[in-house]
Amino acid sequence: MRTVRTISELRAALRTPRTNGRTVALVPTMGYLHEGHLSLIRAAREAADLAVVSLFVNPTQFNDPNDLAAYPRDEQRDALLAQEAGADLLFAPQPDEVYPRGFTTQVRVTGPLTEALEGAHRGADHFHGVTTVVSKLLNMVGPDVALFGQKDAQQALVIRRMATDLDLPTRIEVVPTVREPDGLAMSSRNVRLSGTEREQALALHAALHTAERHVHGGDHDAASILQAARDAMTPFAVEPEYLALVDPEDLSPVTTVDQDALLAVAAHVGPVRLIDNTILTPNGGTAR
Ligand code: AMP
């Protein structure tokens, strides 16, 4: 695996494989790789001949400067892990390679997809930062397929919308959430949790799991499911920033779970803001 830092090096590295008809997959990441990222890289290897991993902590998608400053970084470790998972190329640009002087364009998905849930709490600008950088990365790499995690369910929906609306030639694939054995969704931010906070962080999974049990037990009433999920967080002394049951395609609120519904949760645990979600399936399917 090679590491490249500029767009011209990246394009040069992809020229020959492309001429030889090899397909390319892109996995955009902000680094500090964990099993969730590695499952995306493995899926990328399945989906295409070459896997490109981008490593860029995108400043424009952080609404909180402290979160940006504290974001964990370790490029050497990331390079080893990406290589082990089968990545062919690591693209690790500096901020001024991505945002050169004079940069002033944004790609925005507007409406409920970026204004609900995360958008309501972090601001829609978070997603405008995501869609701008992802569309740039797609233009830099020109992949046949790009892979994203269900862990960031709303982000995946927003990116799919952007790809459809802008007629992007890249196929967007979404990969299931990878969890720790006790259910905590893997996240680069988890390393910032103290021992006690790590225990408290289980509140999010407890909420999702309780809701799944309710639905499998025949409860289809959103208010009652949400109350049970909220109650499940209480023993952990964690308050949800939001806990919402919405349509998995357009994020409109759901009152009855008579078809698949997205249960999404966000909560602050110590210094870290965590998110998680699951799809509730009314007919006994296993939610992820
Ligand atoms: P990030 O580095 O946090 O921006 O994440 C890069 C990609 O990895 C995004 O598509 C995320 O949705 C995905 N991802 C993050 N955590 C997980 C996880 N626990 N399971 C699966 N995918 C994940």
Side-chain angles (χ1 to χ4, degrees):
M1 189 194 74
R2 258 182 75 199
T3 298
V4 292
R5 302 196 181 278
T6 66
I7 299 162
S8 59
E9 279 178 298
L10 171 72
R11 289 192 170 139
L14 291 173
R15 202 163 293 135
T16 308
R18 222 184 261 302
T19 312
N20 294 336
R22 300 185 74 195
T23 54
V24 176
L26 171 66
V27 178
T29 82
M30 297 203 299
Y32 217 75
L33 302 185
H34 51 67
E35 259 316 303
H37 297 115
L38 303 185
S39 81
L40 291 179
I41 298 172
R42 292 187 198 108
R45 286 307 309 262
E46 299 268 305
D49 300 322
L50 273 175
V52 180
V53 175
S54 63
L55 195 176
F56 180 60
V57 183
N58 176 36
T60 68
Q61 73 189 69
F62 283 81
N63 51 307
D64 174 359
N66 295 325
D67 188 27
L68 174 61
Y71 203 84
R73 299 166 201 240
D74 188 340
E75 186 187 314
Q76 254 188 345
R77 175 178 167 280
D78 287 344
L80 275 175
L81 290 172
Q83 178 167 25
E84 276 170 22
D88 297 284
L89 204 57
L90 184 69
F91 176 48
Q94 291 299 313
D96 60 359
E97 180 71 5
V98 179
Y99 300 113
R101 236 149 78 87
F103 184 87
T104 184
T105 299
Q106 270 200 339
V107 177
R108 291 179 172 219
V109 172
T110 56
L113 280 192
T114 53
E115 289 165 6
L117 306 178
E118 289 294 284
H121 292 271
R122 297 184 72 174
D125 275 351
H126 160 65
F127 287 115
H128 303 332
V130 169
T131 43
T132 301
V133 82
V134 170
S135 56
K136 283 174 68 69
L137 290 166
L138 293 175
N139 282 331
M140 292 169 190
V141 176
D144 299 275
V145 54
L147 297 97
F148 298 87
Q150 175 66 17
K151 156 82 169 23
D152 299 278
Q154 186 175 7
Q155 169 175 283
L157 283 177
V158 169
I159 288 166
R160 267 197 202 288
R161 185 77 251 162
M162 171 184 79
T164 302
D165 289 356
L166 297 182
D167 308 301
L168 301 183
T170 303
R171 193 169 81 246
I172 305 298
E173 277 190 17
V174 180
V175 173
T177 302
V178 178
R179 299 177 178 282
E180 300 286 356
D182 63 5
L184 178 67
M186 293 200 177
S187 163
S188 305
R189 292 182 174 91
N190 290 352
V191 293
R192 297 182 54 212
L193 297 167
S194 70
T196 321
E197 291 158 359
R198 174 64 183 76
E199 293 293 313
Q200 288 184 283
L202 287 175
L204 286 83
H205 183 249
L208 302 182
H209 189 60
T210 298
E212 285 168 1
R213 280 212 324 271
H214 263 249
V215 173
H216 292 169
D219 185 359
H220 292 177
D221 177 54
S224 141
I225 296 165
L226 285 169
Q227 189 57 53
R230 189 173 281 271
D231 290 347
M233 298 179 77
T234 311
F236 297 91
V238 172
E239 271 282 313
E241 187 179 88
Y242 66 77
L243 180 67
L245 202 41
V246 297
D247 181 279
E249 298 298 326
D250 65 15
L251 303 183
S252 61
V254 157
T255 51
T256 307
V257 181
D258 47 12
Q259 48 195 325
D260 282 7
L262 175 71
L263 179 63
V265 60
H268 285 272
V269 179
V272 186
R273 184 176 180 278
L274 297 173
I275 61 171
D276 201 349
N277 70 83
T278 190
I279 301 283
L280 297 180
T281 54
N283 298 318
T286 308
R288 290 192 174 279

